[in-house]
Amino acid sequence: MLLSLKDVSIYYGSAMAVTEVTLSQEEGTVVSVIGANGAGKSTTLKAITGLVPIQSGSIEFDGRRIDGAPTDAIVKAGIACVPESRKLFPHMNVLSNLKLGAYLRRDKQGIEEDLEGVFVLFPRLKERLRQKAGSLSGGEQQMLAIGRALMSKPRLLMMDEPSLGLAPIVIDSLAENINEINRRGVSVLLVEQNAGLVSRVAQRCYVLEVGRIVLEGNINEMMSNDSVRRAFLG
Amino acid sequence: MDEINVLQGVLNGLTCAGWYVLVAVGLSLVLSIMNIVQLSHGEIYMIGAYVVYYFCVNLGISFYLGFVIAVLASGLLGIVLERVFFRPFRGKPDQALVLSIGLILVFQNIVLAIAGGTPKSYRSPFEGVVKIGSLALSTERLVIIIAGFVLIGALFLFIRFAKNGQAMLAISQDREGAALQGININRLSAIAMFVGCALAGVAGGLVGALFTLTPTMGATVLMKGIAVIILGGLGSISGAVLGGLIIGLIDGLVPVVTSSYMASLIGFAIVILILLFRPRGLWGHE
Ligand SMILES: Nc1ncnc2c1ncn2[C@@H]1O[C@H](COP(=O)(O)OP(=O)(O)O)[C@@H](O)[C@H]1O
Ligand SMILES: [Mg+2]
């Protein structure tokens, strides 16, 4: 297993956010976690990146415990995250944002190649190279956030509701982008509320409800499940 | 008010600018990286001056050695402050602010206990006067101008081109976003404190030779530093340089026209006036 969470519980103070979540992902796959607002999706991703501590349980990446490790060690191990509000560096230009994605790397040659790889995926970014990140459109900012995450050459790319606020046509290309990233060998953990997007990219899916996993299975089973359809396909 | 006096005022103003900028940039750096208004920054400056005094006068070793030790000691003190006092208060800026006020008293009293309250002074080896036409500037003031602008220039290059400089900018713009790129916030905070406090040590060591030393000498420079970063735009290094130049030139030029007592008053009045039109400061974002 590339990623495996076992009985992970997370509290904010005394308020429970996530309870006994068990989840696993094989290398090379796209796995999705869907759930309504407040279900604990972002909290789960923050726990994986070490931004919030877990109360109990364990998180393993590539067979090694990463819970309790500092975020930079987790990034170094090969996990990158496109956070919910993108968290770009708004007053820095596109190129500087991308280069910061490669902060922990020293292989100049590899960084250049991956930069080209990002431009192949998002030609728009190449046109906007010297533009400040904060002045980009929503869709372009999402491209930059994904591109920046890819610059760390991750084995696992996590995305927190990347479709949020994007027009349907932009979501279409987002789906293609995710499939292309996965074809390049990167595993993807996709947190979403948009089941349409999930059904086009993921092989497995978990449903999170008030901090608990209530359903899991392969994507076809899940998309034909009545309660999932009612909740996430509108 | 003739031309010579105005030019002389500009030179004096540049001296003040170099001095203020060296102090203000540290305040600004610490504010933007650690999100803390470090009010005991003036005491780092004071300690820088006292360390030079100790080596220069008490031990009679050379000024240069004392100066280098003072700068390093200030920087290391910054690292200790970050690790011991400020890191536990990360994300609690109000508490950190109160803590830094407490540190003012702690540092002043430590220096008072060790060195006593009588004013001290030492001389720098930069003697003589540089004449440009009929203008005169003492060498030690010229050194302050040069040191200020060379060091701040170096800091700009570091921020622009060094990986960790860019990481500092990144932290100041989005802390969590920076952490997610693998930037170690603790390490960068320590670097920022070292650099900021070492620059305050440079200012203390050089300016200390111009005035007498007292344990409370940090207060004035802190006021100037805060005015400078508010004027320039909080957390912006370019803003701190611009603000330092403006306030420095005001302090240099206003005494040419009126009395030097008026300089501070007029200076702060101009700052307030500018802020009325640009509440985020001259270089503030958004
Ligand atoms: N920083 C925080 N402090 C306290 N409670 C939080 C914090 N962040 C999230 N929560 C709470 O934790 C729960 C899960 O939130 P979150 O993980 O953001 O859900 P989702 O991403 O699925 O919308 C919610 O009840 C939310 O109110
Ligand atoms: Mg969320």
Side-chain angles (χ1 to χ4, degrees), chain A residues 105-125:
Chain A
R105 297 173 63 183
R106 295 184 187 283
D107 54 326
K108 273 214 166 74
Q109 177 102 40
I111 293 173
E112 282 304 318
E113 283 167 20
D114 286 344
L115 199 55
E116 283 310 312
V118 168
F119 295 148
V120 170
L121 197 60
F122 303 119
R124 270 292 253 299
L125 293 183

Side-chain angles (χ1 to χ4, degrees), chain B residues 197-239:
Chain B
C197 292
L199 291 176
V202 169
L206 293 179
V207 179
L210 300 184
F211 307 115
T212 53
L213 278 53
T214 64
T216 55
M217 66 191 274
T220 336
V221 83
L222 179 75
M223 288 301 289
K224 293 292 181 191
I226 287 185
V228 162
I229 64 171
I230 291 177
L231 177 64
L234 287 178
S236 157
I237 305 287
S238 322

Side-chain angles (χ1 to χ4, degrees), chain A residues 4-234:
Chain A
S4 135
L5 278 69
K6 286 202 188 78
D7 298 323
V8 169
S9 298
I10 307 161
Y11 286 75
Y12 289 108
S14 61
M16 179 277 287
V18 166
T19 325
E20 291 176 1
V21 161
T22 296
L23 173 160
S24 58
Q25 174 164 15
E26 276 180 65
E27 178 128 43
T29 60
V30 179
V31 170
S32 184
V33 175
I34 57 178
N37 277 332
K41 306 181 297 298
S42 299
T43 300
T44 304
L45 293 193
K46 282 184 185 170
I48 296 170
T49 51
L51 291 174
V52 299
I54 65 172
Q55 215 76 23
S56 58
S58 67
I59 304 176
E60 282 184 13
F61 182 68
D62 200 22
R64 249 171 296 188
R65 284 284 287 263
I66 56 166
D67 51 278
T71 302
D72 54 321
I74 292 168
V75 175
K76 186 141 206 161
I79 299 181
C81 184
V82 179
E84 191 164 4
S85 45
R86 301 182 186 122
K87 304 210 165 287
L88 297 171
F89 309 121
H91 310 296
M92 297 173 94
N93 67 26
V94 166
L95 184 61
S96 301
N97 270 271
L98 289 172
K99 284 193 166 163
L100 278 160
Y103 176 76
L104 289 176
R105 297 173 63 183
R106 295 184 187 283
D107 54 326
K108 273 214 166 74
Q109 177 102 40
I111 293 173
E112 282 304 318
E113 283 167 20
D114 286 344
L115 199 55
E116 283 310 312
V118 168
F119 295 148
V120 170
L121 197 60
F122 303 119
R124 270 292 253 299
L125 293 183
K126 193 164 187 178
E127 295 162 21
R128 303 261 188 277
L129 223 48
R130 304 280 162 197
Q131 208 168 309
K132 296 261 188 292
S135 70
L136 300 176
S137 73
E140 290 164 348
Q141 291 197 11
Q142 192 58 265
M143 293 175 195
L144 180 53
I146 297 171
R148 183 181 66 176
L150 289 174
M151 287 306 293
S152 68
K153 205 178 179 61
R155 290 172 67 189
L156 174 66
L157 176 69
M158 307 199 295
M159 299 190 205
D160 196 349
E161 301 200 39
S163 74
L164 208 65
L166 300 184
I169 185 157
V170 186
I171 296 179
D172 287 344
S173 43
L174 180 64
E176 285 167 29
N177 296 149
I178 294 173
N179 282 324
E180 171 59 23
I181 289 167
N182 185 232
R183 268 197 299 278
R184 292 180 182 180
V186 181
S187 312
V188 177
L189 180 59
L190 174 67
V191 157
E192 260 303 337
Q193 298 199 44
N194 182 328
L197 172 60
V198 169
S199 67
R200 291 160 64 185
V201 298
Q203 290 106 50
R204 275 183 69 76
C205 175
Y206 291 81
V207 177
L208 199 58
E209 217 173 85
V210 253
R212 289 175 193 279
I213 302 278
V214 292
L215 273 174
E216 62 174 284
N218 77 44
I219 195 70
N220 297 328
E221 285 166 31
M222 298 293 284
M223 289 301 145
S224 52
N225 180 299
D226 277 346
S227 61
V228 174
R229 294 178 69 91
R230 258 198 311 277
F232 300 103
L233 282 171

Side-chain angles (χ1 to χ4, degrees), chain B residues 16-17 20 23 38 122 129 134 197 211 222 245 253-254 262 275:
Chain B
C16 290
Y20 300 162
V23 174
Q38 214 291 72
Y122 59 86
V129 171
S134 47
C197 292
F211 307 115
L222 179 75
L245 270 173
L253 281 168
V254 174
M262 289 298 285
L275 289 177

